Amino acid sequence: MPRLTLFKKILVITLLLSLLPLIASSLILFLNLESTSTRLTSEIGERAHIQASESLQMRASQVAESVADFLRQCENDLIFLSRSQLDQATLLNFYASRRGEIWYRTGSKSAPLEIREQVPLYSSIALIDKTGQEKLVIRDSAVVPESELKNISDPARTEFLTEDYFRRVRTQPGKIYVSHVTGFHISKQDQLKGADEPENALDGKSYQGVIRFAAALFDNRGTFNGMVVVSLDHRHLMEFTQHIDPGHNFSTLFPSYKSGNYAFMFDDEGWIITHPKYWDIRGLDSSGHLIPPYSESSGKPEIDSGRIPFNLDHAGFIHPNYPRVADQIRKRKAGFVDTTNVGGEKKIMAYAPIIYDSGDYSRHGVFGGITIGFQLDQFQDAARKGSRLVNQQLGEHRTRSGIILLITSVLAGFSAWGLSRGITRPLLQLTEGAHKLADGDIHSRVAVTSTDEIGELGRTFNFMADELETRKNSLLTTLDELQRSRIDILDERNFKTSILESISSAIITISPAGVMTSINGVGLKLLSDADCLGKEYREAFAAWPDVCARIETALNTKHGYGRAPLSRQIDGEMTYYDIGLFPIGNNAEMGLTVTLRNETERECLREETVRLDRLASLGKLSAGIAHEVRNPLTGISLLLDDLHDKPGFSSEDKGMLSRALSEIERVERLISALLNYSSPVRTSFREGDLIQILKDILLLMQRQAEKKGITVNVSYAQLPQFRFDPEKIRQALINILKNALEVLESGGVITISTECNDTAVTVAIHDNGPGIHRQDLPLIFEPFFTRKGAGTGLGLSITQRIIEEHHGTLSVESDDRTGTTFRISLPLDNILS
């Protein structure tokens, strides 16, 4: 909006003071004449509107009564047929005697023809037996051959693929069945065939539809014996509305849709069933399903192709009166409304109900409605003539008033211009100086040439400009200093952040209120919570109760600072941490710093070193003991053997000697196991077949398993040849299988399976025995650990060492319900020799 300057204000006020009285008097006279013209035009138009509307409503009522009489005539024809002798001659005679005139166009656009022809009322008459089989059908004035007759109890075999009139008549005997208009939809392209409007489309298709009238037939015992069906040709229904011209002509061969002066018929469901645009008529698609109506959600492809049959109940988006008309018709009321058709033409539409309540039309007691439309513009001819006369007089008055106003305005304008310029020119100079100052020109000043109030305003402006220049220079200096300070602070912050992120420990700061204020990347990974900043420490450390307790103690008591070890069990495995709490400020007045470092790997290395040292010591000790004990033990064994063979001992004494020899043999085996454990044979890798080794082992243990009633199930996957020590792997597998056989004292099942992936081969050995106690699981691979009464306790320890020599893994899963599973994984890429 343009700014109203002081110059313009003074100019406008002067002009208003001089022109306002003249403008007011002219305006009052003009308004009075305009009001009179409007009132006269409105009264003439309203009267013409009412008279034309009442005339159209009367005509619509007459057409509706004619349609109702016609439908009742068709119903009477059906009743007559159902009570007649239904043979071929009777039906042919009836078909030929029922005719009506059709007035239609034919030929082509270049050579049109107008024809009035008497054609049969019914497109077909059918006699159907109680099973739905057509017994006799007359169509196109001829009897349909028997080979073409169908069983219409299946709707898919009816003419329009989905009709169920046979079921409807059979389930409602004694009632007349009257269907809705049924026919395949005619699209816009089908009707127009390149023409611009329907009235010019002579080469296009016509709508071919029917209304079925059907009645049940009964035998002498009153049992359903079939039905007779007459199919009213839709063209005779079109004749009631197609030739109505509500304009200057009373009738027409084909109405002009574009003019809006035409009539159409719709049924009790709101569907249009007669219309100059055939694509507006309800219709079925090629599979016999009703095409959805034109609605606000219809897509552009449907609109362009003309697949948009019109239903008044869904046409409120075109004009709200369409659904109201459909509702009024269902209430058996006549009337008229203003509407707009799809083409955008405003018109008055009179409507009247077709009173008919047979068949499907019993719900509302109406067949549908007749509407006759007429353009509103054609009602207003008389009103427009009077309005033109008044407007002519008004125009002459406006011209005279305009000339007077123009001369007065010119005179007043020159006077106002001189007055305004003398006042506004100094102010304009001051405004220009202020704009320059606003644009950054702080050196801009205005020239002061007067001593009046405007001159004083100019001097004040120049003083303000001097102050602004001084303060701007001061602000620029301060901003430079702030920028340098900001850069220093950012550099220091980035340096500290880089140091914190490079540390392998989690570093977390907590405010005195217990809220987390900062955390480095290691801490985020440790807590697994990217949104922990700003949370209370109890929420962030919800899974770390020991850490929460230490933080709470440090915050509340101001004690408990320093480092301490911490261990947690995660997914069944023990994890070790080093936790440190350090105050920020005196007595933690600014909060706490918490450090967490994962010490699990270091702890595992320490435990492994202790274990290796223990095993090395044990090996040396075992080798020494075995060497020192073995020689005397051999002598004792030989002496006892000689004593056993000498005569003179009782059987009881010999039994005791035999038992002593057995114990010495057990000690020998233990010593041999100790020597094997302390001085293992060097591993020799070569390509081998792991499946064959398993088969050989099972062959050796088969008899022992059968004696104990143990079932051995195997599931071998296809394994490649790869490098391993066959003898040692055999020993490892035998150790595990022997343990499985020993725990299954009363029979059971051992399952052996193999798997293979790109990097390793896995052997799983499962038994359904009592399982290993949870507290024993960490100890089963320790040397000399055993829960059996006999045995060395070295089998699983040797097995673990063999698997480790192959760079593989040995794991165990066990519980008292499902038993125990040992899983051996061997890599495929062993290159050791």
Side-chain angles (χ1 to χ4, degrees):
M1 181 176 180
R3 184 171 61 90
L4 195 61
T5 62
L6 183 60
F7 175 81
K8 293 178 181 178
K9 289 179 181 178
I10 296 173
L11 183 62
V12 170
I13 290 172
T14 306
L15 290 173
L16 287 177
L17 288 175
S18 59
L19 298 177
L20 192 58
L22 182 60
I23 292 174
S25 60
S26 300
L27 185 60
I28 291 171
L29 179 59
F30 172 75
L31 289 175
N32 288 336
L33 290 175
E34 189 73 29
S35 175
T36 302
S37 171
T38 303
R39 188 166 56 253
L40 180 61
T41 302
S42 175
E43 290 178 359
I44 295 173
E46 183 177 353
R47 188 59 189 165
H49 187 283
I50 293 173
Q51 288 178 351
S53 300
E54 291 175 348
S55 174
L56 288 177
Q57 180 181 335
M58 183 180 299
R59 190 170 180 188
S61 299
Q62 291 172 351
V63 175
E65 290 174 3
S66 298
V67 174
D69 292 341
F70 177 70
L71 293 172
R72 282 188 282 272
Q73 175 194 333
C74 295
E75 185 177 330
N76 291 334
D77 285 346
L78 177 69
I79 295 172
F80 170 77
L81 270 181
S82 66
R83 296 173 180 175
S84 301
Q85 182 67 31
L86 296 176
D87 53 29
Q88 180 172 319
T90 301
L91 292 180
L92 282 171
N93 183 56
F94 176 85
Y95 181 86
S97 64
R98 299 304 193 267
R99 292 179 174 271
E101 184 180 80
I102 300 294
W103 185 19
Y104 62 94
R105 304 174 301 170
T106 186
S108 62
K109 185 175 181 180
S110 58
L113 295 175
E114 178 181 335
I115 295 179
R116 293 178 183 267
E117 181 182 2
Q118 292 287 329
V119 299
L121 285 179
Y122 305 107
S123 62
S124 67
I125 300 175
L127 178 62
I128 300 166
D129 68 13
K130 62 182 178 181
T131 66
Q133 179 63 43
E134 294 176 336
K135 306 302 290 183
L136 178 62
V137 177
I138 298 174
R139 186 181 294 119
D140 297 332
S141 302
V143 177
V144 175
E146 186 175 350
S147 61
E148 297 179 12
L149 299 180
K150 305 174 183 177
N151 188 312
I152 52 91
S153 62
D154 180 6
R157 301 191 65 189
T158 57
E159 181 180 359
F160 297 107
L161 305 179
T162 54
E163 298 177 275
D164 63 345
Y165 53 86
F166 178 78
R167 179 188 62 81
R168 296 278 299 278
V169 173
R170 186 179 60 184
T171 56
Q172 296 180 351
K175 292 185 178 181
I176 298 294
Y177 169 78
V178 185
S179 74
H180 285 87
V181 170
T182 306
F184 291 116
H185 185 255
I186 298 297
S187 69
K188 183 177 181 180
Q189 290 85 347
D190 290 339
Q191 181 183 2
L192 295 181
K193 291 294 184 182
D196 55 346
E197 294 295 335
E199 58 265 30
N200 299 324
L202 298 177
D203 300 324
K205 292 182 179 179
S206 298
Y207 184 83
Q208 303 291 328
V210 298
I211 297 179
R212 308 280 190 194
F213 291 81
L217 301 176
F218 302 93
D219 58 17
N220 295 332
R221 294 174 296 176
T223 304
F224 176 74
N225 196 36
M227 62 194 304
V228 61
V229 182
V230 295
S231 302
L232 175 64
D233 191 333
H234 175 264
R235 292 181 295 172
H236 292 286
L237 208 59
M238 288 280 286
E239 286 295 299
F240 287 98
T241 60
Q242 191 76 340
H243 308 304
I244 294 177
D245 183 0
H248 299 296
N249 301 317
F250 185 76
S251 64
T252 180
L253 173 59
F254 197 95
S256 170
Y257 170 75
K258 191 173 183 180
S259 70
N261 300 334
Y262 60 87
F264 66 84
M265 188 188 308
F266 61 93
D267 63 18
D268 63 331
E269 294 179 343
W271 290 99
I272 287 181
I273 55 177
T274 69
H275 197 279
K277 293 196 309 180
Y278 299 157
W279 63 87
D280 278 358
I281 300 174
R282 71 179 286 167
L284 310 175
D285 60 19
S286 59
S287 60
H289 296 99
L290 193 64
I291 293 179
Y294 182 30
S295 66
E296 196 169 6
S297 61
S298 296
K300 190 174 184 301
E302 287 80 12
I303 296 173
D304 292 342
S305 65
R307 285 175 57 87
I308 46 171
F310 204 88
N311 187 305
L312 271 64
D313 289 323
H314 296 267
F317 72 100
I318 298 174
H319 199 284
N321 280 336
Y322 281 118
R324 293 172 189 163
V325 168
D327 185 60
Q328 290 292 96
I329 288 295
R330 285 191 280 267
K331 294 177 181 177
R332 303 188 177 189
K333 293 181 180 180
F336 52 85
V337 294
D338 293 334
T339 62
T340 303
N341 66 7
V342 178
E345 299 296 335
K346 294 182 178 180
K347 63 178 184 178
I348 184 171
M349 188 171 77
Y351 57 88
I354 303 170
I355 307 300
Y356 183 72
D357 60 358
S358 294
D360 286 349
Y361 305 97
S362 60
R363 179 182 177 187
H364 301 289
V366 294
F367 177 78
I370 296 292
T371 70
I372 302 177
F374 191 53
Q375 277 194 12
L376 287 173
D377 290 345
Q378 299 184 18
F379 293 147
Q380 308 296 332
D381 288 343
R384 283 195 290 268
K385 290 179 182 178
S387 179
R388 280 196 296 270
L389 180 61
V390 174
N391 289 334
Q392 183 179 354
Q393 296 298 322
L394 284 174
E396 293 175 359
H397 171 72
R398 284 194 292 268
T399 302
R400 289 192 293 269
S401 298
I403 293 172
I404 295 171
L405 285 173
L406 179 62
I407 295 172
T408 306
S409 298
V410 171
L411 294 174
F414 279 112
S415 301
W417 182 85
L419 177 63
S420 300
R421 184 166 179 79
I423 296 173
T424 59
R425 187 172 184 181
L427 293 176
L428 182 60
Q429 292 175 350
L430 187 62
T431 302
E432 290 176 353
H435 284 163
K436 290 180 180 179
L437 191 64
D439 292 337
D441 185 3
I442 60 176
H443 305 294
S444 175
R445 302 291 186 272
V446 297
V448 180
T449 58
S450 63
T451 59
D452 56 13
E453 289 83 355
I454 294 177
E456 183 64 26
L457 181 61
R459 284 188 289 274
T460 303
F461 173 81
N462 290 336
F463 175 76
M464 179 188 68
D466 294 338
E467 285 294 315
L468 283 175
E469 184 175 3
T470 301
R471 295 187 182 187
K472 179 181 178 182
N473 293 332
S474 176
L475 281 174
L476 289 174
T477 302
T478 304
L479 283 174
D480 288 339
E481 293 175 355
L482 287 174
Q483 184 66 21
R484 287 193 295 272
S485 298
R486 179 177 177 274
I487 292 172
D488 293 340
I489 292 170
L490 288 175
D491 289 342
E492 183 178 356
R493 187 191 68 181
N494 292 337
F495 176 72
K496 291 179 178 179
T497 301
S498 177
I499 291 175
L500 288 175
E501 292 298 329
S502 65
I503 295 174
S504 61
S505 300
I507 300 178
I508 304 160
T509 59
I510 300 174
S511 71
V515 177
M516 292 183 60
T517 56
S518 70
I519 184 170
N520 65 351
V522 177
L524 290 174
K525 292 180 181 178
L526 199 63
L527 296 181
S528 301
D529 185 358
D531 301 322
C532 61
L533 274 180
K535 291 184 179 179
E536 209 266 343
Y537 73 88
R538 292 185 183 88
E539 182 181 358
F541 286 99
W544 303 69
D546 294 340
V547 175
C548 287
R550 289 203 59 192
I551 294 174
E552 185 174 7
T553 301
L555 288 175
N556 295 336
T557 66
K558 310 302 181 183
H559 293 90
Y561 306 133
R563 296 187 177 277
L566 172 70
S567 60
R568 292 182 65 218
Q569 192 165 14
I570 303 175
D571 297 331
E573 295 185 2
M574 191 63 69
T575 308
Y576 300 92
Y577 297 92
D578 177 80
I579 178 173
L581 274 72
F582 306 98
I584 304 175
N586 293 329
N587 292 324
E589 61 183 8
M590 298 175 64
L592 286 175
T593 297
V594 180
T595 64
L596 274 172
R597 184 169 66 247
N598 193 327
E599 297 286 328
T600 304
E601 186 175 354
R602 181 179 295 178
E603 183 66 22
C604 291
L605 288 173
R606 187 188 66 78
E607 291 180 356
E608 182 65 17
T609 301
V610 171
R611 187 178 78 87
L612 291 175
D613 290 343
R614 186 173 69 250
L615 291 177
S617 300
L618 179 62
K620 292 178 181 179
L621 177 63
S622 299
I625 292 174
H627 181 74
E628 294 298 329
V629 171
R630 198 171 204 178
N631 290 333
L633 197 63
T634 301
I636 294 171
S637 177
L638 291 173
L639 291 173
L640 287 176
D641 193 41
D642 288 341
L643 285 174
H644 181 271
D645 293 338
K646 286 184 178 183
F649 287 101
S650 65
S651 58
E652 184 178 351
D653 293 336
K654 288 186 177 183
M656 292 179 64
L657 289 172
S658 296
R659 193 174 300 116
L661 286 171
S662 297
E663 289 300 316
I664 290 173
E665 288 177 3
R666 192 169 71 84
V667 173
E668 282 278 1
R669 288 195 299 272
L670 176 60
I671 291 172
S672 297
L674 281 172
L675 290 174
N676 288 335
Y677 183 76
S678 61
S679 301
V681 179
R682 186 169 181 269
T683 303
S684 176
F685 287 90
R686 61 180 181 274
E687 285 195 356
D689 186 348
L690 186 59
I691 299 293
Q692 187 59 48
I693 290 176
L694 284 168
K695 291 178 179 179
D696 293 343
I697 294 171
L698 291 178
L699 184 61
L700 293 174
M701 296 186 173
Q702 182 178 356
R703 184 172 297 277
Q704 185 179 355
E706 291 174 352
K707 286 181 179 181
K708 288 190 172 187
I710 298 172
T711 302
V712 179
N713 296 327
V714 296
S715 175
Y716 297 142
Q718 185 69 33
L719 302 182
Q721 294 277 334
F722 68 102
R723 293 170 61 80
F724 63 93
D725 188 325
E727 296 305 323
K728 288 198 173 187
I729 294 298
R730 180 191 300 271
Q731 181 183 356
L733 293 171
I734 288 174
N735 288 343
I736 295 173
L737 283 168
K738 282 178 64 179
N739 287 345
L741 288 171
E742 289 172 359
V743 298
L744 297 176
E745 297 177 354
S746 303
V749 178
I750 297 175
T751 303
I752 303 172
S753 62
T754 62
E755 297 177 3
C756 181
N757 57 31
D758 294 338
T759 59
V761 168
T762 302
V763 179
I765 301 174
H766 171 79
D767 66 72
N768 62 346
I772 302 171
H773 293 299
R774 181 178 296 275
Q775 62 270 23
D776 290 344
L777 278 174
L779 306 173
I780 61 174
F781 296 113
E782 292 295 326
F784 305 111
F785 176 79
T786 180
R787 293 292 185 187
K788 297 181 290 187
T792 64
L794 293 174
L796 288 179
S797 180
I798 292 172
T799 299
Q800 184 187 41
R801 189 173 64 187
I802 291 172
I803 301 305
E804 289 176 349
E805 288 173 355
H806 284 74
H807 304 287
T809 59
L810 174 61
S811 61
V812 60
E813 300 170 3
S814 182
D815 61 60
D816 55 2
R817 295 187 306 275
T818 61
T820 305
T821 301
F822 282 88
R823 190 168 278 104
I824 297 172
S825 180
L826 299 175
L828 292 173
D829 57 351
N830 274 315
I831 58 174
L832 300 176
S833 58

